[in-house]
Amino acid sequence: MGRIWATAEDLGRNRARVLSLYRQILRGLNSPELRLGFAARLAKKAEARAMFWVGSDERSLHNIADLIDAAEYSLSFLRKGQLPPRHIN
């Protein structure tokens, strides 16, 4: 378990989870509970897309786990009808 870099098996195992989280976040941003205009909604979707696009090239197990944790954290806010905070102290 001392591996740092992801193997092809690790990447395949995480792929479905990451895609599911990505789709859930995009659907969450479409929620009418969020008071966002059209341009703001598109900007938030672009931020999510960029986060997952950069994460798609990631090969570190720790960074993949961080991406999944951040996505789940953001999704928890979206399910409540809130935007996640921009910066975490």
Side-chain angles (χ1 to χ4, degrees), residues 2 9 18 31 33 35 38 45 66-67 88:
E9 182 180 311
V18 171
S31 172
E33 294 178 13
R35 303 285 185 224
F38 182 71
K45 287 182 179 182
D66 287 345
L67 174 67
I88 302 169

Side-chain angles (χ1 to χ4, degrees), residues 8-9 13-14 18 22 28 30 35 37-39 47-48 60 63 72 77 82 89:
E9 182 180 311
R13 191 175 328 131
N14 289 320
V18 171
Y22 174 66
N30 281 334
R35 303 285 185 224
F38 182 71
E47 286 178 26
S60 164
N63 291 345
E72 288 173 344
F77 278 93
Q82 303 170 353
N89 295 329

